[in-house]
Structure formats: structure tokens, C-alpha cells
Amino acid sequence: MNYAMVTGPMGAGKSTLIRSLPEKGVFAPPPDVPEMFLDNACSCRGLQFYEIDEPTALGGHWAGWLGAANAFLLVADAGASPVAVGPLLARLGSACPGTPCLLVANRWPGGRHDAWQLPGVAAVEPLSPGTVLDEERALAQPEEVERILARLQQLLEAA
Ligand SMILES: Nc1nc2c(ncn2[C@@H]2O[C@H](COP(=O)(O)OP(=O)(O)OP(=O)(O)O)[C@@H](O)[C@H]2O)c(=O)[nH]1
Ligand SMILES: [Mg+2]
């Protein structure tokens, strides 16, 4: 079973990405991790996705949930500086040095994304502003989610 931990700064779009996944099923928690209330978790095509917010990822208490990941999906707000994800990247790299990290630059305005190819980032995928459902929720475009899922599968196969 492959686990993908979705993390990133507050409001970056973690829940939006998980909400936008196709063919969602019930999440199967990884074995041997302490029980934790997850805001957002689901399965999708044999992959298990779970959202861990930045403070939780930076803290030491739930390190088992970082260790359970076969890949990290680091969602960043493309409108912010890449520096904003520095602490999280450092944490993921030191806690789980072999786990690939796919950086999703959300609310992508277009253009080149070299600036997001940070040390510790295995691949960068832009994600444009999707459809706004209401004040709280947005939805990404299905074809963009497919592109991100394909890249994630590539990283998992190469790992
Ligand atoms: N228009 C637009 N709004 C977005 C997009 N992604 C996220 N949002 C909005 O930004 C806000 C935060 O998005 P979430 O997906 O909840 O972000 P999060 O990273 O899960 O946030 P926390 O769990 O609070 O840290 C929500 O109000 C979303 O509707 C996007 O691509 N386009
Ligand atoms: Mg969220």
C-alpha cells in the first residue's frame, strides 16, 4: 500500500487538492502509527492520501505519520515566496531523507517554475486556480489533477 502525505503552509490548498481527487474511497490508516484525527484523508486508485498541516509536520509528536509516507505532496501557494516552504522541506528531508517530495505550486499564475525546484524537491507541478465552489471551497480542474497523479506515480515507481 502506498501512502501520500499532503502537507504545506496554512491555506495553501491541501484540502482542495484532496477534495479534487477522482474516484475517492475510504482511507486505510497505515499500520503502527499512533491514532490521530485526520481532517482529510481518502484513498484514490490504490493510493492513500492524508493531510497533515504544517505545525503538525514540524512537531516531533506525529513523526510516525511522516515516516508512513511513500511520497510527500507539498502544496505551496505560488503567490508566496518559495522561502515559505523552507522549514517544511528541511523537516521532511531530515525526517525522511529517501522519501520523494512532489511540490504542487497552487494558484499558478503561469510562466516558468524554476524558482520552485528547491533542494529536496523531486519534481514541481503547477496547479492553476480551479473552480470556486463557495467561500470556503474550491475544486481543481480534473485534467490537472490527473497530471499531478501521473507525476506522483512516476516518483513512487522510481523510489
Ligand atoms: N480560487 C481558488 N481558491 C482556492 C484554491 N485552492 C484553495 N483555494 C481556497 O483557499 C482556501 C484554502 O484552501 P484549502 O484547500 O482549505 O487550504 P489548506 O492548505 O487545506 O488550508 P488549511 O487546512 O487551513 O491549512 C479555501 O478557501 C479554498 O477555497 C484554488 O486553486 N483556487
Ligand atoms: Mg486543509
Side-chain angles (χ1 to χ4, degrees):
M1 190 90 77
N2 271 325
Y3 284 85
M5 180 177 126
V6 181
T7 190
M10 200 177 82
K14 304 177 288 294
S15 303
T16 300
L17 181 57
I18 292 181
R19 181 185 312 117
S20 305
L21 291 170
E23 302 153 33
K24 288 195 286 284
V26 178
F27 179 71
D32 305 323
V33 292
E35 239 181 87
M36 162 181 201
F37 177 77
L38 295 165
D39 276 343
N40 253 313
C42 70
S43 67
C44 167
R45 299 182 186 162
L47 262 169
Q48 307 293 325
F49 290 85
Y50 57 99
E51 176 174 345
I52 297 284
D53 65 20
E54 178 166 18
T56 306
L58 290 178
H61 191 71
W62 302 104
W65 283 87
L66 274 64
N70 302 96
F72 297 118
L73 270 173
L74 176 53
V75 183
D77 183 348
S81 161
V83 171
V85 294
L88 253 177
L89 263 177
R91 167 75 178 137
L92 300 179
S94 63
C96 310
T99 306
C101 178
L102 172 56
L103 189 144
V104 175
N106 192 25
R107 304 185 187 90
W108 186 250
R112 297 172 65 91
H113 49 69
D114 313 16
W116 292 94
Q117 192 60 64
L118 302 161
V121 168
V124 180
E125 286 293 339
L127 178 60
S128 19
T131 311
V132 177
L133 298 179
D134 55 44
E135 253 178 43
E136 303 264 293
R137 297 173 310 142
L139 208 55
Q141 299 296 340
E143 61 275 18
E144 293 209 89
V145 178
E146 290 297 338
R147 171 169 50 76
I148 290 167
L149 283 173
R151 183 56 77 98
L152 181 61
Q153 283 296 356
Q154 275 176 7
L155 292 180
L156 285 166
E157 280 160 25

